[in-house]
Amino acid sequence: LGLWLGQRAAWKRGSWFDKVQTGLALTFWSVPTFWLGLLLLLLFAGGLRLFPAGGMMSPGTDATGIALVLDVAWHMVLPVTAMVIGGFAGLTILTKNSFLDEIGKQYVVTARAKGLAERRVLYGHVFRNAMLIVIDIARFIEPSIFAREVERAGQDGNGVPVDMGRDARSLADLEQVAEQTEPGDVGERVDSRQ
């Protein structure tokens, strides 16, 4: 859908569709994901109460099978929507700019001068060349977004990796003991062992 919106906005440059679509895409692209997630929570979980406000499953549920999958999917709608909107808007802007760049090239002017239909010029010439850059950039951007979200999912609320939480807390305990120990105490203990 982002590809279609981007190419349509480029092809209809300056129209009301282009202005509205570009304005919305720039707005959603510039909004941080966490902020958009909070707005979605306020609107759909707090105000309208259509989705749950938190958790991965409904509290106290003993659902299994398809019921469990549907419950988890229901809880994932808002977070996934918040993550997808930014990438979708970025892809739309990238597609529009790529198409605008290709539309201004000499081979498009030549195709139009030969009398080819606008649809043939768009899909036969511009589309293939414009999509090269979109696909090339998208294959590097999307995996990095996914990897970042997987990394965040593996952390507790304080940003400490879950599997290292115990070790990080032990280190914090050691630092606390070190702060409470007088500097001379450690030296005296070492001297008494010799």
Side-chain angles (χ1 to χ4, degrees):
L1 186 62
L3 299 176
W4 180 80
L5 288 172
Q7 67 93 17
R8 182 165 168 81
W11 203 249
K12 306 284 185 182
R13 187 176 187 182
S15 68
W16 67 270
F17 177 81
D18 175 36
K19 292 175 184 175
V20 170
Q21 182 272 334
T22 302
L24 287 174
L26 286 172
T27 300
F28 286 125
W29 188 45
S30 62
V31 171
T33 305
F34 72 89
W35 193 74
L36 184 60
L38 288 173
L39 288 178
L40 291 173
L41 274 174
L42 283 172
L43 179 64
F44 292 108
L48 298 175
R49 297 194 185 274
L50 295 175
F51 294 100
M56 191 68 169
M57 296 182 293
S58 299
T61 186
D62 293 331
T64 59
I66 226 40
L68 178 64
V69 170
L70 291 174
D71 188 46
V72 170
W74 182 52
H75 282 75
M76 290 177 58
V77 169
L78 293 179
V80 169
T81 302
M83 285 176 29
V84 165
I85 286 177
F88 172 77
L91 184 63
T92 303
I93 293 167
L94 175 66
T95 303
K96 177 187 173 188
N97 290 334
S98 180
F99 269 80
L100 285 175
D101 187 42
E102 289 298 319
I103 287 171
K105 292 195 175 171
Q106 191 63 41
Y107 71 91
V108 175
V109 174
T110 304
R112 285 180 176 153
K114 287 169 50 175
L116 292 178
E118 287 295 308
R119 186 173 182 85
R120 175 81 173 145
V121 172
L122 175 63
Y123 292 109
H125 296 282
V126 175
F127 186 80
R128 288 184 291 175
N129 293 320
M131 291 308 296
L132 291 175
I133 188 72
V134 173
I135 291 170
D136 195 37
I137 291 176
R139 73 182 173 134
F140 291 112
I141 293 173
E142 297 306 321
S144 67
I145 292 171
F146 178 73
R148 183 185 70 219
E149 296 305 324
V150 168
E151 180 184 345
R152 283 186 189 165
Q155 296 177 350
D156 66 8
N158 299 320
V160 176
V162 173
D163 57 340
M164 293 181 62
R166 189 186 82 230
D167 296 335
R169 283 188 281 284
S170 299
L171 182 61
D173 291 342
L174 286 173
E175 288 174 355
Q176 185 178 10
V177 169
E179 289 174 1
Q180 294 172 352
T181 306
E182 294 294 325
D185 292 345
V186 176
E188 291 171 11
R189 288 185 197 148
V190 172
D191 290 338
S192 66
R193 290 184 189 165
Q194 292 177 353

